[in-house]
Protein backbone atom coordinates (compact mmCIF):
# COMPACT_ATOMS: atom_id res chain seq x y z
CA UNK A 1 0.00 0.00 0.00
CA UNK A 2 1.08 3.56 -0.65
CA UNK A 3 2.38 5.33 2.51
CA UNK A 4 0.38 8.13 4.08
CA UNK A 5 0.81 11.43 2.28
CA UNK A 6 -1.20 13.14 4.92
CA UNK A 7 1.17 12.45 7.81
CA UNK A 8 4.20 13.46 5.78
CA UNK A 9 2.81 16.84 4.76
CA UNK A 10 1.17 17.69 8.07
CA UNK A 11 4.41 17.06 9.91
CA UNK A 12 6.27 19.35 7.53
CA UNK A 13 3.51 21.94 7.92
CA UNK A 14 3.18 22.25 4.15
CA UNK A 15 -0.44 23.01 3.64
CA UNK A 16 -3.55 23.75 5.63
CA UNK A 17 -5.92 21.67 3.58
CA UNK A 18 -9.37 20.93 4.98
CA UNK A 19 -9.57 17.15 4.81
CA UNK A 20 -13.36 17.26 4.87
CA UNK A 21 -13.59 19.36 1.72
CA UNK A 22 -11.33 17.50 -0.68
CA UNK A 23 -12.69 17.94 -4.23
CA UNK A 24 -14.50 14.83 -5.38
CA UNK A 25 -13.30 15.17 -8.99
CA UNK A 26 -10.01 16.82 -9.99
CA UNK A 27 -9.12 17.23 -13.66
CA UNK A 28 -5.65 18.26 -14.79
CA UNK A 29 -4.28 19.81 -17.98
CA UNK A 30 -0.70 18.55 -17.74
CA UNK A 31 1.08 21.29 -19.66
CA UNK A 32 4.72 22.32 -19.98
CA UNK A 33 6.68 19.11 -20.56
CA UNK A 34 8.35 20.60 -23.64
CA UNK A 35 9.33 23.84 -21.93
CA UNK A 36 10.60 21.93 -18.90
CA UNK A 37 12.93 19.99 -21.19
CA UNK A 38 13.92 23.02 -23.25
CA UNK A 39 14.94 24.92 -20.13
CA UNK A 40 17.33 22.09 -19.27
CA UNK A 41 18.68 21.71 -22.81
CA UNK A 42 17.03 18.29 -23.07
CA UNK A 43 14.96 16.75 -25.88
CA UNK A 44 11.18 17.06 -25.56
CA UNK A 45 10.92 13.30 -25.13
CA UNK A 46 12.67 13.59 -21.75
CA UNK A 47 10.15 16.24 -20.74
CA UNK A 48 7.34 13.79 -21.43
CA UNK A 49 9.22 11.05 -19.57
CA UNK A 50 9.51 13.36 -16.56
CA UNK A 51 5.79 14.09 -17.03
CA UNK A 52 4.99 10.42 -16.50
CA UNK A 53 6.90 10.51 -13.20
CA UNK A 54 4.82 13.50 -12.10
CA UNK A 55 1.67 11.61 -13.09
CA UNK A 56 2.70 8.66 -10.87
CA UNK A 57 3.17 10.99 -7.90
CA UNK A 58 -0.13 12.81 -8.42
CA UNK A 59 -2.20 9.64 -8.92
CA UNK A 60 -0.82 8.28 -5.66
CA UNK A 61 -1.44 11.58 -3.85
CA UNK A 62 -5.03 11.86 -5.09
CA UNK A 63 -5.75 8.30 -4.04
CA UNK A 64 -4.34 8.97 -0.56
CA UNK A 65 -6.28 12.22 -0.21
CA UNK A 66 -9.57 10.47 -0.94
CA UNK A 67 -10.21 12.16 -4.28
CA UNK A 68 -12.83 9.99 -6.04
CA UNK A 69 -12.09 10.90 -9.68
CA UNK A 70 -8.89 12.14 -11.32
CA UNK A 71 -9.05 13.01 -15.01
CA UNK A 72 -5.79 13.79 -16.79
CA UNK A 73 -5.42 15.24 -20.28
CA UNK A 74 -2.75 12.90 -21.65
CA UNK A 75 -3.31 13.24 -25.42
CA UNK A 76 -5.69 15.54 -27.26
CA UNK A 77 -7.29 15.13 -30.67
CA UNK A 78 -5.05 18.04 -31.72
CA UNK A 79 -1.83 16.37 -30.49
CA UNK A 80 -1.70 14.24 -33.70
CA UNK A 81 -0.42 17.41 -35.39
CA UNK A 82 2.88 17.08 -33.55
CA UNK A 83 5.88 15.49 -35.31
CA UNK A 84 5.45 11.75 -35.82
CA UNK A 85 8.38 10.97 -33.52
CA UNK A 86 6.85 12.91 -30.64
CA UNK A 87 3.47 11.21 -31.10
CA UNK A 88 5.35 7.89 -31.08
CA UNK A 89 7.14 8.81 -27.84
CA UNK A 90 3.84 9.72 -26.15
CA UNK A 91 2.17 6.49 -27.28
CA UNK A 92 5.13 4.41 -26.09
CA UNK A 93 5.12 6.18 -22.74
CA UNK A 94 1.43 5.42 -22.37
CA UNK A 95 1.94 1.73 -23.16
CA UNK A 96 4.93 1.53 -20.81
CA UNK A 97 3.10 3.41 -18.04
CA UNK A 98 0.22 0.94 -18.16
CA UNK A 99 2.53 -2.07 -18.28
CA UNK A 100 4.67 -0.91 -15.37
CA UNK A 101 2.00 0.63 -13.16
CA UNK A 102 -0.96 -1.67 -13.57
CA UNK A 103 -0.24 -3.96 -10.61
CA UNK A 104 0.55 -1.06 -8.30
CA UNK A 105 -2.61 0.80 -9.38
CA UNK A 106 -4.65 -2.35 -8.90
CA UNK A 107 -3.03 -3.02 -5.50
CA UNK A 108 -4.12 0.45 -4.42
CA UNK A 109 -7.72 -0.06 -5.59
CA UNK A 110 -7.50 2.40 -8.50
CA UNK A 111 -9.97 1.98 -11.39
CA UNK A 112 -8.43 2.78 -14.78
CA UNK A 113 -10.71 4.29 -17.43
CA UNK A 114 -10.21 6.28 -20.61
CA UNK A 115 -12.07 9.17 -22.21
CA UNK A 116 -11.69 9.69 -25.95
CA UNK A 117 -11.54 7.87 -29.25
CA UNK A 118 -9.27 5.13 -28.01
CA UNK A 119 -10.10 2.93 -31.00
CA UNK A 120 -7.81 5.24 -33.04
CA UNK A 121 -4.78 4.67 -30.75
CA UNK A 122 -1.99 2.26 -31.74
CA UNK A 123 -2.95 -1.38 -31.18
CA UNK A 124 -0.34 -1.91 -28.45
CA UNK A 125 -1.66 0.97 -26.40
CA UNK A 126 -5.23 -0.28 -26.84
CA UNK A 127 -4.25 -3.77 -25.68
CA UNK A 128 -2.70 -2.40 -22.46
CA UNK A 129 -5.68 -0.14 -21.90
CA UNK A 130 -8.20 -2.96 -22.19
CA UNK A 131 -6.07 -5.10 -19.85
CA UNK A 132 -6.09 -2.25 -17.32
CA UNK A 133 -9.87 -1.69 -17.63
CA UNK A 134 -10.55 -5.37 -17.10
CA UNK A 135 -8.11 -5.81 -14.21
CA UNK A 136 -9.27 -2.77 -12.23
CA UNK A 137 -12.98 -2.50 -13.03
CA UNK A 138 -14.22 -3.89 -9.69
CA UNK A 139 -11.91 -1.74 -7.56
CA UNK A 140 -13.46 0.56 -4.96
CA UNK A 141 -10.86 3.35 -5.06
CA UNK A 142 -9.86 6.38 -7.13
CA UNK A 143 -11.18 6.42 -10.70
CA UNK A 144 -8.30 7.45 -12.97
CA UNK A 145 -9.65 8.77 -16.27
CA UNK A 146 -6.96 8.97 -18.93
CA UNK A 147 -8.13 11.47 -21.56
CA UNK A 148 -6.58 9.98 -24.70
CA UNK A 149 -7.28 11.16 -28.22
CA UNK A 150 -9.76 13.33 -26.38
CA UNK A 151 -11.34 16.54 -27.61
CA UNK A 152 -14.24 18.33 -25.97
CA UNK A 153 -15.82 19.25 -29.30
CA UNK A 154 -15.33 15.74 -30.68
CA UNK A 155 -17.03 14.42 -27.54
CA UNK A 156 -20.02 16.73 -28.08
CA UNK A 157 -20.26 15.65 -31.73
CA UNK A 158 -20.41 12.04 -30.53
CA UNK A 159 -23.08 12.95 -28.00
CA UNK A 160 -25.25 14.47 -30.74
CA UNK A 161 -24.62 11.52 -33.06
CA UNK A 162 -25.53 8.90 -30.45
CA UNK A 163 -28.56 10.82 -29.23
CA UNK A 164 -29.79 11.23 -32.84
CA UNK A 165 -29.36 7.50 -33.42
CA UNK A 166 -31.44 6.76 -30.32
CA UNK A 167 -34.09 9.22 -31.50
CA UNK A 168 -34.18 7.51 -34.91
CA UNK A 169 -34.53 4.12 -33.16
CA UNK A 170 -37.36 5.48 -31.04
CA UNK A 171 -35.41 4.88 -27.80
CA UNK A 172 -35.22 8.59 -27.01
CA UNK A 173 -37.99 11.18 -27.33
CA UNK A 174 -36.70 14.60 -28.46
CA UNK A 175 -39.13 16.35 -26.08
CA UNK A 176 -37.60 14.47 -23.15
CA UNK A 177 -34.06 15.63 -23.94
CA UNK A 178 -32.61 17.65 -21.11
CA UNK A 179 -29.18 18.27 -19.59
CA UNK A 180 -29.34 15.09 -17.54
CA UNK A 181 -30.39 12.76 -20.38
CA UNK A 182 -27.88 14.30 -22.79
CA UNK A 183 -25.03 13.98 -20.28
CA UNK A 184 -25.57 10.20 -20.31
CA UNK A 185 -23.95 10.17 -23.77
CA UNK A 186 -20.73 11.83 -22.56
CA UNK A 187 -17.57 9.80 -21.95
CA UNK A 188 -18.03 10.78 -18.30
CA UNK A 189 -21.60 9.41 -18.05
CA UNK A 190 -22.42 8.60 -14.44
CA UNK A 191 -19.51 10.61 -13.05
CA UNK A 192 -19.76 13.97 -11.32
CA UNK A 193 -18.40 17.02 -13.15
CA UNK A 194 -14.93 18.15 -12.08
CA UNK A 195 -14.95 20.40 -9.03
CA UNK A 196 -11.44 21.58 -9.72
CA UNK A 197 -9.52 21.87 -12.98
CA UNK A 198 -5.79 22.46 -12.57
CA UNK A 199 -3.66 23.69 -15.46
CA UNK A 200 0.08 23.76 -15.10
CA UNK A 201 2.62 26.07 -16.77
CA UNK A 202 0.62 29.27 -16.46
CA UNK A 203 -1.56 29.11 -19.59
CA UNK A 204 -5.12 30.35 -19.04
CA UNK A 205 -6.99 28.16 -21.52
CA UNK A 206 -9.16 25.05 -21.46
CA UNK A 207 -7.72 23.82 -24.77
CA UNK A 208 -10.80 21.78 -25.72
CA UNK A 209 -10.83 19.91 -22.39
CA UNK A 210 -14.13 18.81 -20.80
CA UNK A 211 -16.15 21.61 -22.45
CA UNK A 212 -19.52 20.42 -21.14
CA UNK A 213 -18.31 19.14 -17.78
CA UNK A 214 -16.33 22.28 -16.86
CA UNK A 215 -19.42 24.55 -16.72
CA UNK A 216 -19.05 25.19 -12.98
CA UNK A 217 -15.56 23.89 -12.28
CA UNK A 218 -13.15 26.05 -10.35
CA UNK A 219 -10.05 26.59 -12.46
CA UNK A 220 -6.67 26.92 -10.79
CA UNK A 221 -3.71 27.78 -13.01
CA UNK A 222 -0.30 27.16 -11.47
CA UNK A 223 3.06 28.39 -12.81
CA UNK A 224 4.98 25.11 -12.49
CA UNK A 225 5.66 23.06 -15.60
CA UNK A 226 3.95 19.68 -15.33
CA UNK A 227 7.12 17.65 -14.47
CA UNK A 228 7.64 19.97 -11.47
CA UNK A 229 4.06 19.63 -10.21
CA UNK A 230 4.37 17.63 -7.01
CA UNK A 231 2.37 16.73 -3.89
CA UNK A 232 3.03 20.11 -2.33
CA UNK A 233 1.79 21.94 -5.45
CA UNK A 234 -1.30 19.72 -5.50
CA UNK A 235 -2.09 20.51 -1.87
CA UNK A 236 -1.66 24.21 -2.60
CA UNK A 237 -4.02 24.03 -5.58
CA UNK A 238 -6.59 22.25 -3.39
CA UNK A 239 -6.15 24.94 -0.76
CA UNK A 240 -6.79 27.64 -3.39
CA UNK A 241 -9.92 25.75 -4.46
CA UNK A 242 -11.11 25.57 -0.85
CA UNK A 243 -10.79 29.33 -0.53
CA UNK A 244 -13.11 29.93 -3.50
CA UNK A 245 -16.83 30.43 -3.05
CA UNK A 246 -18.81 28.23 -5.41
CA UNK A 247 -22.17 29.77 -6.24
CA UNK A 248 -23.25 27.71 -9.30
CA UNK A 249 -25.02 30.80 -10.68
CA UNK A 250 -26.78 31.55 -7.38
CA UNK A 251 -26.10 34.28 -4.85
CA UNK A 252 -23.44 34.50 -2.20
CA UNK A 253 -24.42 33.09 1.21
CA UNK A 254 -22.63 35.90 3.04
C1 LIG B 1 1.82 19.00 -22.61
O1 LIG B 1 3.15 19.39 -22.62
C2 LIG B 1 1.70 17.61 -22.38
C3 LIG B 1 1.23 16.67 -23.28
C4 LIG B 1 0.85 17.00 -24.65
C5 LIG B 1 1.10 15.29 -22.95
C6 LIG B 1 0.91 14.96 -21.51
C7 LIG B 1 1.63 13.72 -21.31
C8 LIG B 1 2.28 13.34 -20.21
C9 LIG B 1 2.26 14.05 -18.93
C10 LIG B 1 3.11 12.16 -20.22
C11 LIG B 1 2.46 11.02 -20.84
C12 LIG B 1 1.60 10.29 -19.91
C13 LIG B 1 0.88 9.28 -20.36
C14 LIG B 1 0.19 8.37 -19.43
C15 LIG B 1 0.78 9.08 -21.80
P1 LIG B 1 3.66 20.10 -23.92
O2 LIG B 1 4.42 19.10 -24.71
O3 LIG B 1 2.54 20.75 -24.65
O4 LIG B 1 4.62 21.18 -23.31
P2 LIG B 1 4.98 22.59 -23.93
O5 LIG B 1 3.69 23.37 -24.02
O6 LIG B 1 5.92 23.16 -22.93
O7 LIG B 1 5.61 22.33 -25.26
Amino acid sequence: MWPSLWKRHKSKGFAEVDRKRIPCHIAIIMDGNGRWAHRRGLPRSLGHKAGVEALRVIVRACSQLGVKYLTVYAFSTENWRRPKEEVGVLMNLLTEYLRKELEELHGNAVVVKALGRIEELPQEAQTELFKAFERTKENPGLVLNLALNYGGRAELVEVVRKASQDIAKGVLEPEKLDEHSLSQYLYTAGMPDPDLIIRTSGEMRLSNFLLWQSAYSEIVVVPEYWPDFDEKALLQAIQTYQQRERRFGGLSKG
Side-chain angles (χ1 to χ4, degrees):
M1 284 290 281
W2 286 325
S4 166
L5 161 144
W6 203 254
K7 276 190 198 145
R8 266 181 290 139
H9 285 280
K10 272 286 174 204
S11 60
K12 286 185 193 158
F14 268 146
E16 292 306 318
V17 169
D18 181 349
R19 284 183 82 164
K20 294 190 204 78
R21 289 194 302 125
I22 296 294
C24 172
H25 185 168
I26 297 180
I28 309 185
I29 303 174
M30 308 183 288
D31 193 15
N33 295 348
R35 278 163 286 168
W36 181 92
H38 183 73
R39 190 179 263 185
R40 288 165 174 72
L42 298 171
R44 292 177 61 82
S45 57
L46 290 189
H48 294 313
K49 197 161 178 244
V52 177
E53 292 310 314
L55 179 63
R56 283 198 179 99
V57 169
I58 297 305
V59 170
R60 186 182 66 186
C62 284
S63 165
Q64 292 171 329
L65 284 167
V67 172
K68 299 277 185 286
Y69 299 87
L70 172 66
T71 302
V72 291
Y73 207 1
F75 194 86
S76 76
T77 45
E78 288 71 36
N79 286 152
W80 296 109
R81 293 184 199 145
R82 294 189 177 203
K84 224 172 119 204
E85 303 75 55
E86 184 167 344
V87 170
V89 164
L90 286 166
M91 292 302 150
N92 288 342
L93 283 173
L94 168 66
T95 307
E96 200 179 295
Y97 171 76
L98 292 167
R99 275 192 195 136
K100 281 198 190 150
E101 293 300 301
L102 181 56
E103 282 318 303
E104 184 166 336
L105 291 168
H106 180 58
N108 285 283
V110 173
V111 182
V112 178
K113 293 189 182 220
L115 316 178
R117 293 188 178 152
I118 57 170
E119 65 281 5
E120 292 170 8
L121 297 176
Q123 198 52 55
E124 246 192 344
Q126 287 191 47
T127 306
E128 296 305 320
L129 276 170
F130 285 109
K131 244 190 244 169
F133 301 158
E134 203 43 42
R135 182 95 173 111
T136 63
K137 66 181 183 195
E138 311 283 356
N139 286 342
L142 172 76
V143 174
L144 170 63
N145 286 323
L146 299 169
L148 292 164
N149 194 18
Y150 174 87
R153 288 184 175 178
E155 178 177 31
L156 295 179
V157 169
E158 271 191 44
V159 166
V160 174
R161 191 180 295 137
K162 287 186 213 149
S164 318
Q165 283 164 351
D166 280 351
I167 288 171
K169 280 190 255 166
V171 180
L172 181 68
E173 292 176 45
E175 303 72 34
K176 295 225 172 108
L177 260 186
D178 57 14
E179 290 182 16
H180 176 75
S181 57
L182 210 58
S183 72
Q184 301 310 305
Y185 294 93
L186 293 165
Y187 297 128
T188 52
M191 302 181 197
D193 290 338
D195 303 289
L196 167 62
I197 296 181
I198 299 169
R199 181 166 187 150
T200 58
S201 93
E203 308 284 351
M204 309 254 183
R205 284 190 296 279
L206 275 179
S207 299
N208 204 13
F209 190 44
L210 302 176
L211 295 182
W212 172 287
Q213 298 89 335
S214 62
Y216 286 104
S217 305
E218 292 296 330
I219 301 178
V220 173
V221 174
V222 300
E224 292 92 346
Y225 294 142
W226 172 249
D228 290 329
F229 190 80
D230 57 9
E231 289 175 341
K232 186 180 170 195
L234 174 71
L235 289 172
Q236 274 164 355
I238 293 176
Q239 218 179 328
T240 304
Y241 160 85
Q242 290 181 339
Q243 283 157 0
R244 302 257 180 97
E245 185 194 14
R246 302 186 76 193
R247 294 197 298 274
F248 299 96
L251 294 178
S252 169
K253 281 185 202 139

